[in-house]
Amino acid sequence: VSSAAIIIFFGKRAFYFQSGSVKSDAPVSYLLQWEVIKEAKRRGCVLYNLWGVAPENKPDHQWVGLTTFKSGFGGFRRDYMHAQDLPLSKKYWIAYMLEKLPRTFRLRIRPGNRN
């Protein structure tokens, strides 16, 4: 049973960046987040931003389960403007186009893939 998270601590704020766990019967993801909250408090943080939830008016959104998980810790919801990219070089557009390709196609063109 394992779970991991990347948390960014900045001043008196902690930001959930990424996490994941191996599927199991034990609620390790909940335990991990409670440990993160305790660590943030220990560091004197006054805000833990869990980033990213489903829109309230979209019950079929792909993040509904994630939103339920995050909402279980209490707190409040604050909606911000969607993240935007600021291209600093022409190379950005290569990465942008690759992101837009369907995932199944990206997996087929990955270097070293023998399929």
Side-chain angles (χ1 to χ4, degrees):
V1 179
S2 63
S3 184
I6 299 172
I7 309 299
I8 299 167
F9 292 95
F10 184 76
K12 295 202 174 275
R13 296 175 182 225
F15 300 88
Y16 167 99
F17 183 68
Q18 199 72 259
S19 73
S21 63
V22 175
K23 189 174 181 177
S24 75
D25 293 332
V28 293
S29 296
Y30 288 92
L31 176 60
L32 176 64
Q33 289 303 320
W34 279 119
E35 291 299 322
V36 169
I37 290 168
K38 289 185 340 189
E39 177 63 19
K41 284 185 166 200
R42 188 188 71 73
R43 292 181 181 214
C45 292
V46 296
L47 182 84
Y48 179 38
N49 184 342
L50 281 166
W51 275 357
V53 293
E56 290 180 319
N57 61 345
K58 295 190 177 181
D60 296 328
H61 193 276
Q62 63 185 2
W63 289 0
V64 168
L66 186 60
T67 301
T68 301
F69 170 75
K70 291 177 179 182
S71 300
F73 295 96
F76 58 92
R77 177 189 184 108
R78 179 159 301 153
D79 293 323
Y80 294 101
M81 181 173 60
H82 183 37
Q84 298 181 28
D85 293 340
L86 176 61
L88 299 177
S89 79
K90 292 179 181 180
K91 292 178 185 177
Y92 164 85
W93 295 107
I94 296 168
Y96 175 83
M97 294 306 291
L98 287 172
E99 283 181 11
K100 296 302 175 190
L101 290 173
R103 185 174 192 274
T104 52
F105 184 73
R106 285 194 318 250
L107 292 176
R108 278 188 265 152
I109 63 169
R110 183 180 293 162
N113 191 350
R114 308 272 173 165
N115 293 338

